[in-house]
Amino acid sequence: LRENQPKSLLRILQEKNEYINAPCNGNGTCGKCVVRFQSGATEPSARDREIFSEKQLEEGYRLACQSYPTEVYDIEIPQEEEEIEVLSGWKEQKSALKECEKAETRTHGGSRAIESEHAVYGICMDIGTTTLAAVLVNLTTQAECQTAVSVNHQRAYGSDVLSRIDASNNGKKWEIQRCIRQDLRKMILELLQKEKIEGQQITKIVIAGNTTMCHLLRGFSCETLGVAPFLPVDLSWMEGSAVEFLGMKELDTKVVILPGISAFVGADIVAGIAKMNMQKSERYHLLLDIGTNGEMVLGNCNHMYVTSTSAGPAFEGGNISCGMASVPGAISHVFMDEAGKAGFQMIGETDGGNQKKQQAIGICGTGMIDLAYELRKHQMIDEHGTYSDPYFDTGYELAEKVKFTQNDMRELQMAKAAIRAGVDILIKKAGIAFGEVEYCYLAGGFGTKIDIKKAAGIGLIPKELEMKTIPAGNTVLAGTKEVLLGRISKEELEKIQTMADVINLAEESDFEELYLSYMDF
């Protein structure tokens, strides 16, 4: 701690591999890396005084990125983020139009007698920017036996891929690789413990994630990944051992990482395309993964148009004053009565209200969409997203200490405009009308929980596709399972790679005009 160049507490914690939520990677903008000094405290910074009340400052609350310790302190790191809700289920294409089921861990009941210490298993894994999910599959019965989910603790290095690319390029590559390996190892051991099996019974692991996540897992350089012309080190189908890819000496298992398409359209999207059979369809289908990166694909059996928008972290709680990921206590749905009085539903509540009520602690992406829709419907914001006088300065208060400010509204508008403009560009590139799109699939947990009517109401989803939009669940895990079971081949995934025409939105002359036009509600 007594170096010529003092380190922030955030940097010290990162070096010690202690997880702390830091979506802005220590820039001081997000206000999320909260710690509490138990004995003494560093002097509050100007940013600390903006975030915390005088009482909280006296109690030792600080932002880790703003604290520069010069002596030994005892600190407390809040662990709320560990309870994040992660989707591990998916919808089969034929039943996708039915009501979306909740993800659950399934046991195989009657098949238990078939299984013994000689049964063999595989694991499919989804490495998301924010969350991780894994499913244990019995390779004989093809049953999904257990699930494991986790926060991606790389969030300590920033909430989006560009932040992590920057961190990797500034000397943290091996720290970040160690971080994701530890997360995956922990989930694998959890699956083994839940199923009461040994590691030698795992014969194959299939992994998919976006290109940055796969690079960070492999320890590849990200120096050319985040700057034009955005060149990945390797987008191919990769095979190796658990030691080589995961650092797990205890597993003698083959590990496969699925191929990607570009720097910002990765193996996770390829898995989704294959699972939804887009490459086999005569009709056009649209696949949207609405998150930090906003990947999207429009295609059929003849051609694919793929792109990624810089939507930012707003949909996952980043850069929103009271925003957060899907944790218990986060407001996930908002509704208003005729008088304009708001009510809401939180993650962790049961429909019957039997679960103990807790205080709302923030708002997640689906709640933001609902709130914007209701505020516009009740004329509390205008078509430009500007609050009326009672709320312009203070924002709209949903619950005690949970407000949605004018700046928050702008962050949401920018995120939704980027997605919507990207969809329009793909439609234009394909030379078709919206009416020629048979289905629009919403991938991931956000897409499963979203209120489609309200999303279309604020312009996130094209109105023409509202009745054609299907929550598809975790298409990444669904696709990796198909590969694990041999129902999707390496050759088929490589064919999808060759079919894809990557669209760089920054080079599209009308993207900026579309983006600005879709800022409005």
Side-chain angles (χ1 to χ4, degrees):
L1 302 176
R2 292 178 173 84
E3 299 176 358
N4 292 332
Q5 296 293 329
K7 295 179 182 177
S8 71
L9 178 55
L10 175 63
R11 176 64 174 151
I12 294 168
L13 292 171
Q14 288 175 340
E15 289 180 350
K16 291 182 175 293
N17 207 30
E18 291 287 346
Y19 172 67
I20 183 167
N21 188 21
C24 72
N25 194 26
N27 292 325
T29 55
C30 70
K32 305 287 188 182
C33 60
V34 178
V35 297
R36 185 179 183 184
F37 284 79
Q38 300 291 333
S39 59
T42 56
E43 192 66 25
S45 68
R47 182 62 172 147
D48 285 326
R49 295 190 183 280
E50 292 176 0
I51 295 291
F52 304 110
S53 66
E54 282 300 320
K55 181 180 179 183
Q56 288 174 316
L57 291 173
E58 290 173 6
E59 292 173 345
Y61 286 97
R62 300 287 188 274
L63 296 179
C65 69
Q66 301 294 297
S67 298
Y68 289 82
T70 56
E71 53 187 278
V72 176
Y73 297 99
D74 291 328
I75 63 166
E76 175 188 359
I77 305 173
Q79 295 298 320
E80 292 175 346
E81 201 72 18
E82 294 300 323
E83 301 179 55
I84 194 167
E85 182 178 77
V86 185
L87 182 71
S88 59
W90 56 81
K91 296 296 294 177
E92 293 300 328
Q93 188 176 18
K94 291 180 180 178
S95 61
L97 288 170
K98 298 178 182 178
E99 182 181 357
C100 187
E101 299 171 339
K102 291 183 178 179
E104 59 180 355
T105 299
R106 287 176 281 182
T107 57
H108 29 270
S111 65
R112 172 68 69 177
I114 300 173
E115 295 164 17
S116 69
E117 66 274 14
H118 302 297
V120 291
Y121 297 81
I123 297 174
C124 42
M125 308 192 85
D126 168 19
I127 307 179
T129 308
T130 304
T131 57
L132 310 169
V135 173
L136 180 71
V137 179
N138 183 304
L139 297 181
T140 303
T141 65
Q142 301 187 359
E144 302 111 44
C145 310
Q146 305 290 347
T147 61
V149 298
S150 172
V151 172
N152 186 335
H153 287 89
Q154 292 176 339
R155 281 168 63 85
Y157 301 91
S159 64
D160 56 41
V161 294
L162 292 178
S163 297
R164 294 185 207 170
I165 289 171
D166 183 64
S168 176
N169 293 340
N170 283 281
K172 299 178 184 178
K173 178 172 73 172
W174 302 117
E175 290 178 34
I176 296 173
Q177 184 194 50
R178 183 177 68 242
C179 181
I180 187 60
R181 282 183 167 190
Q182 286 183 344
D183 281 343
L184 298 184
R185 181 179 185 275
K186 183 178 179 181
M187 288 201 299
I188 290 169
L189 295 179
E190 179 184 336
L191 293 172
L192 296 178
Q193 190 274 329
K194 282 182 174 180
E195 190 66 8
K196 297 180 173 58
I197 60 174
E198 300 297 326
Q200 59 263 33
Q201 293 177 253
I202 306 297
T203 63
K204 190 174 183 180
I205 297 173
V206 180
I207 297 173
N210 66 52
T211 302
T212 301
M213 295 304 103
C214 292
H215 271 50
L216 294 173
L217 174 62
R218 290 301 317 277
F220 290 159
S221 170
C222 293
E223 290 181 3
T224 60
L225 198 58
V227 294
F230 308 105
L231 300 175
V233 172
D234 194 345
L235 289 170
S236 67
W237 169 289
M238 288 179 271
E239 287 187 23
S241 67
V243 175
E244 182 185 0
F245 283 8
L246 303 174
M248 294 187 67
K249 297 179 181 178
E250 61 268 53
L251 283 185
D252 182 18
T253 303
K254 181 169 79 170
V255 178
V256 171
I257 298 177
L258 300 190
I261 294 173
S262 72
F264 296 108
V265 180
D268 49 355
I269 299 302
V270 173
I273 291 170
K275 175 58 187 176
M276 305 315 290
N277 286 319
M278 293 174 65
Q279 75 282 10
K280 298 178 182 178
S281 172
E282 294 286 343
R283 301 282 297 276
Y284 274 96
H285 289 178
L286 177 66
L287 174 67
L288 296 179
D289 189 344
I290 302 174
T292 305
N293 306 319
E295 297 105 332
M296 56 189 74
V297 183
L298 176 68
N300 60 11
C301 60
N302 298 315
H303 203 77
M304 302 275 175
Y305 299 90
V306 304
T307 194
S308 174
T309 66
S310 183
F315 290 127
E316 294 179 344
N319 295 346
I320 303 296
S321 58
C322 293
M324 54 182 42
S326 301
V327 301
I331 294 172
S332 56
H333 289 290
V334 178
F335 43 88
M336 285 186 181
D337 61 21
E338 293 302 319
K341 183 179 179 181
F344 57 82
Q345 180 181 349
M346 296 181 294
I347 292 172
E349 288 183 313
T350 59
D351 294 336
N354 296 323
Q355 191 160 329
K356 183 180 178 180
K357 291 284 184 180
Q358 66 179 108
Q359 184 176 353
I361 59 174
I363 186 168
C364 65
T366 54
M368 297 176 209
I369 289 173
D370 285 6
L371 178 60
Y373 174 86
E374 295 291 351
L375 289 172
R376 179 70 188 114
K377 178 181 177 182
H378 290 86
Q379 299 182 344
M380 297 179 191
I381 57 172
D382 63 19
E383 69 271 21
H384 305 303
T386 304
Y387 275 111
S388 55
D389 287 337
Y391 311 107
F392 183 79
D393 293 326
T394 61
Y396 186 87
E397 186 173 25
L398 270 168
E400 185 180 357
K401 297 183 179 179
V402 181
K403 289 185 177 180
F404 201 74
T405 67
Q406 184 65 71
N407 185 63
D408 295 336
M409 189 66 71
R410 296 294 181 236
E411 290 285 340
L412 176 63
Q413 286 176 269
M414 289 189 288
K416 75 102 176 176
I419 297 289
R420 185 66 175 80
V423 171
D424 272 31
I425 294 291
L426 292 189
I427 291 289
K428 176 186 173 184
K429 287 291 182 181
I432 64 171
F434 281 109
E436 295 176 70
V437 177
E438 185 174 25
Y439 293 125
C440 171
Y441 302 117
L442 292 183
F446 183 82
T448 298
K449 300 287 185 180
I450 199 171
D451 185 313
I452 294 172
K453 177 184 176 182
K454 293 181 179 180
I458 69 167
L460 175 61
I461 296 171
K463 263 291 186 184
E464 300 93 329
L465 299 182
E466 180 181 346
M467 302 306 294
K468 299 178 178 181
T469 299
I470 303 167
N474 192 321
T475 56
V476 184
L477 283 180
T480 53
K481 182 190 173 187
E482 295 296 291
V483 175
L484 183 68
L485 295 175
R487 295 198 287 244
I488 293 176
S489 67
K490 173 186 175 183
E491 291 71 27
E492 190 167 358
L493 297 179
E494 290 173 340
K495 182 181 178 183
I496 291 172
Q497 282 183 298
T498 64
M499 293 172 64
D501 185 4
V502 180
I503 309 301
N504 184 346
L505 295 178
E507 297 176 354
E508 296 300 316
S509 58
D510 51 349
F511 176 75
E512 185 175 352
E513 182 180 347
L514 286 167
Y515 172 80
L516 292 173
S517 70
Y518 286 127
M519 285 283 287
D520 284 351
F521 291 120

